[in-house]
Amino acid sequence: QVQLVESGGGLVQTGGSLRLSCAASGSIFSISRMGWYRRAPGKERELVATIRGPTTNYSDSVKGRFTISRDNDKNTLYLQMNSLKPEDTAVYYCNLNALLPGMGKFNDYWGQGTQVTVSS
């Protein structure tokens, strides 16, 4: 099985920065894609950013402010969030699309989430 442990969330003022981390552990045969999603109160979960190899993808709402990166050696995913706005307040979830040993296909795995609160 695989575990995703997020950290780095917290309370920050408008315009501030936070860096989220997601450490993946367990037996992983191959990683296709990793990403960050978020769910704001009363809203559905939405994509924030993904990274597949050298290719990154961002939602329009965070483009230019957030940067996703990955340390392959440590199997750790990061999200650098700058110029934070109150509308960025949400629970942020790490997502991993990977093939585990003995599994016949790639599956999605999720972390437990970390709260980010941006005060105005």
Side-chain angles (χ1 to χ4, degrees):
Q1 195 52 277
V2 63
Q3 282 191 321
L4 301 175
V5 179
E6 298 119 332
S7 61
L11 174 65
V12 65
Q13 291 185 332
T14 297
S17 298
L18 284 174
R19 188 194 195 205
L20 305 184
S21 299
C22 172
S25 62
S27 186
I28 301 172
F29 185 72
S30 179
I31 294 176
S32 170
R33 180 193 71 247
M34 297 188 77
W36 291 97
Y37 291 73
R38 67 187 182 188
R39 176 175 285 152
K43 295 186 178 181
E44 294 189 355
R45 185 173 60 196
E46 65 173 355
L47 179 146
V48 176
T50 61
I51 183 167
R52 185 195 299 267
T55 303
T56 58
N57 179 57
Y58 297 92
S59 69
D60 288 342
S61 63
V62 307
K63 202 171 294 183
R65 300 186 297 121
F66 292 9
T67 302
I68 189 171
S69 61
R70 177 183 160 187
D71 185 329
N72 292 330
D73 292 338
K74 296 180 180 178
N75 267 352
T76 300
L77 181 70
Y78 302 99
L79 185 68
Q80 178 66 42
M81 306 185 294
N82 298 328
S83 302
L84 283 160
K85 305 174 181 179
E87 51 263 45
D88 294 317
T89 295
V91 178
Y92 283 71
Y93 297 92
C94 174
N95 170 260
L96 168 70
N97 185 265
L99 178 66
L100 306 188
M103 303 294 285
K105 63 183 179 70
F106 285 78
N107 288 302
D108 280 314
Y109 302 91
W110 296 90
Q112 80 287 354
T114 184
Q115 176 70 46
V116 172
T117 303
V118 184
S119 64
S120 57

